[in-house]
Structures are given as structure tokens and as C-alpha cells.
Amino acid sequence: MIEVKNLVKKYGDHMAVKDLSFNIEKGKIYGFLGPNGAGKSTTMNIITGYLAATEGQVIVNGHDIYEEPEEAKKCIGYLPEIPPLYPDMTPKEYLEFSADLKGIEKKRRAEQFKEISKLTGIEDVMNRLIKNLSKGYRQRVGLAQAILGYPEVIILDEPTVGLDPKQIVEIRDVIKGLSKRHTVILSTHIMQEVSAVCDEVIIIAHGELVARDTPDNLGKHVSGSNTVELSVKAPDYKVKAILNKLGGVTKFEVHSDNDEGCTKALVSTGVDKDLREDLFYAFANAKCPIVAMNYSNTSLEDVFIKVTSGRQTDRRR
């Protein structure tokens, strides 16, 4: 769907993007992450054709963004962090204006306006002035503009910034619904947002790709293990004996629990190994009931901090 090849962007002596390459597949939601100054916005502006690269190539649905800019841009809907709205227009007038710019046939507009206004939840405000709408509704109007024409790719830059918790949940639901028909690239600093809606995560730092995988797998790879915390009704020596015999355990720690007669164990396993079922049967067969079990891996926040704190790259997948 999108191919970014050896992308370089220089501003004088400063290199904002350094030999960046990645592919975007159809029908997925991608979280595009990076600290301030990482080159994230620069990369998105190059992909959308708003900014020229110093070197490299961007292919959008088979069209080179520089050699076939008009065809490539038809495949992209873009919502900047600050939506480019005209406050003295109504949403209906603004969508008409946007449809003119996008070259959408007039006979197709009424049906698109109806579908998109319903999808984004602006049906009831279509004839109100944009300047009189709340920030949440203005964000929805900007999103409706990005969806207009049903481009294959929709790029959203911080779409929930400044919204209240209820509005954030509503916009996230809209974004989830978009993946049924579009490929979505979502730039955000809110890690919970990425975990909630994204199929894959691309993280850049210092203009370079430092990590790429699913949200769950990134945590596993960075920590190097999964962790299971157990509370077992058995003495510590018996818990140690069972864990020593269990395959797949890379290490464990055992200490007394606050509950009388219980032992707490912190068990680490390999990245791709989930031992919860094996642990259950091992202790059940030994007639040592597990009274509590918690499974955890490294949070996306921890992953982000770890992979962006240095310059060493990790080009997974």
C-alpha cells in the first residue's frame, strides 16, 4: 500500500530523517510513534506530498509521490494535528469545498456526505457554523474531510489531542471503524491509544527506524521474557522443586506470601512461551493449589522509552 524507501531529509546540516525505510500493508491501523524531534511529522509530510525529501522514494498504491503526485495524493486523506477548518463555514459547506478540491463528482457527494457524517457523528451539526462547535466536533469535521472521497490511506496526526475522555473514546471508536475500509496511520503520544486501536507500531528516533511489531510483541522482545506471578498454597521448598522440573522456565524467584501457608513465585519464560496452563497443571497434579496468578509483559510506555533513549536501531520485521 505504501513503500517508504531510503528516505532522507536534510535541513542544512541537520538530518531530520536518515535512510528511513518501511512498508505499510492494506487494511491495518499503524501507530507511528517517536519523541519530539524524531522526524515523525517530517516523514508524514513527505508521505502526503506536503514536503519534498532530500533523497529516497515514497510509493503510494503504486504511484510515486513525486512522479505521479496527483494520483498518489488521491489515495491519501490527511488530518493534521490542527484541522484546516474555516470557522465561518458550516460542516456541510466545508465538505462541499473539500469535495471541490478533491475533484469528487457532484452526483456522488450527497451519498458520501450522508455516510461520512454518520460515521464521524456530525449529522446533527452539519448546518451549524464550525466556529460554534466544540473542539471534539471540530476534530470530527476535520476527520470527515480526511475520509471524503474514500482514499485508501488515512493519516491522522494527534487526532485526540485536547479532547476530553468521552470525546477521546468516541474518536477512537471512529478510527477502529475506519480499518474496515481504509489503511490508517495514526501518530500520537498517547500509548494507551496505540494499545487500544493499533495492529502494528512503528517507532522512530533520531530520524531512524528503531522498532516495529505488534504492541504485544514489542513488549516481549524488549523485556526478553514474559512474567507470571503466582501465589501457591504450599511451602517454598515444594514450589521450588516443581518449578525446577518445569520446562520453559528461564528463571524464578520464590519468597513468602502475606497469606498464611502460601508462597509467592515470580516466574520468567521465553518471549514466545506462555506457561500459564503448564503451571496450573504442574501445581494441580502436586496438589498445591494456585490461589492467584498474574501474567504481565513490558508496557508500551516502557518499550517506547527504552528504544528511543539511544541511537542503536532495532529493525524488527
Side-chain angles (χ1 to χ4, degrees):
M1 179 55 66
I2 295 181
E3 296 176 76
V4 175
K5 300 179 180 180
N6 308 112
L7 209 60
V8 174
K9 180 62 180 178
K10 295 179 182 178
Y11 295 100
D13 293 332
H14 174 64
M15 190 174 289
V17 180
K18 304 176 185 178
D19 195 29
L20 183 63
S21 298
F22 60 84
N23 293 334
I24 297 294
E25 298 174 15
K26 186 175 182 179
K28 290 185 177 181
I29 301 178
Y30 289 85
F32 193 48
L33 308 181
N36 292 332
K40 191 169 71 270
S41 294
T42 299
T43 302
M44 286 193 299
N45 283 327
I46 293 172
I47 291 173
T48 56
Y50 285 92
L51 192 64
T54 306
E55 298 175 22
Q57 189 178 30
V58 176
I59 308 294
V60 182
N61 205 24
H63 304 287
D64 189 298
I65 194 71
Y66 305 117
E67 295 180 4
E68 302 174 272
E70 189 172 334
E71 292 302 315
K73 288 178 183 179
K74 282 181 182 179
C75 302
I76 297 174
Y78 182 39
L79 175 64
E81 182 176 347
I82 300 174
L85 305 177
Y86 293 91
D88 290 322
M89 286 184 176
T90 66
K92 185 176 180 181
E93 290 169 341
Y94 178 65
L95 290 181
E96 283 282 3
F97 172 70
S98 299
D100 285 337
L101 293 178
K102 292 187 176 188
I104 298 171
E105 296 178 50
K106 291 191 175 183
K107 64 182 180 181
R108 296 171 52 204
R109 294 183 186 182
E111 184 180 351
Q112 284 200 31
F113 291 173
K114 184 178 179 180
E115 289 181 358
I116 291 169
S117 65
K118 183 177 181 180
L119 175 65
T120 55
I122 61 172
E123 295 169 290
D124 296 335
V125 300
M126 286 288 279
N127 295 308
R128 290 174 57 184
L129 290 177
I130 291 172
K131 65 182 178 183
N132 294 330
L133 299 179
S134 68
K135 181 173 176 57
Y137 272 110
R138 291 197 297 271
Q139 201 76 351
R140 288 168 181 267
V141 174
L143 184 56
Q145 168 275 137
I147 299 170
L148 192 63
Y150 300 124
E152 285 88 348
V153 180
I154 295 176
I155 300 177
L156 309 175
D157 190 1
E158 301 285 352
T160 61
V161 101
L163 302 186
D164 65 40
K166 183 174 182 293
Q167 292 168 336
I168 288 173
V169 171
E170 291 170 348
I171 293 295
R172 285 180 187 173
D173 288 340
V174 173
I175 293 170
K176 286 179 186 177
L178 292 177
S179 65
K180 297 174 183 176
R181 192 168 186 169
H182 310 270
T183 299
V184 181
I185 301 174
L186 168 65
S187 171
T188 180
H189 285 97
I190 304 171
M191 297 300 130
Q192 298 94 324
E193 196 156 79
V194 176
S195 298
V197 304
C198 295
D199 301 305
E200 285 195 35
V201 182
I202 296 171
I203 304 178
I204 66 171
H206 313 291
E208 299 175 282
L209 178 68
V210 292
R212 176 180 180 171
D213 214 318
T214 65
D216 285 343
N217 283 342
L218 278 175
K220 293 176 184 177
H221 285 293
V222 167
S223 67
S225 66
N226 293 319
T227 302
V228 182
E229 188 176 9
L230 303 170
S231 182
V232 185
K233 199 165 186 180
D236 59 358
Y237 71 87
K238 199 163 187 179
V239 173
K240 290 178 182 177
I242 294 169
L243 292 175
N244 277 322
K245 292 178 182 178
L246 191 63
V249 175
T250 55
K251 64 178 180 178
F252 64 85
E253 299 173 15
V254 171
H255 51 88
S256 298
D257 201 342
N258 291 329
D259 292 336
E260 189 176 345
C262 288
T263 298
K264 188 170 282 188
L266 196 63
V267 183
S268 296
T269 68
V271 171
D272 299 315
K273 187 72 173 175
D274 185 348
L275 275 184
R276 284 175 291 181
E277 190 172 324
D278 293 343
L279 287 165
F280 172 82
Y281 284 115
F283 283 99
N285 291 335
K287 301 190 184 306
C288 299
I290 296 173
V291 297
M293 180 186 290
N294 293 309
Y295 174 82
S296 65
N297 51 39
T298 306
S299 71
L300 195 55
E301 287 89 345
D302 293 334
V303 172
F304 181 82
I305 291 168
K306 186 165 184 177
V307 301
T308 60
S309 60
R311 288 180 174 271
Q312 188 174 12
T313 59
D314 177 8
R315 299 174 183 273
R316 291 196 185 93
R317 296 182 60 179

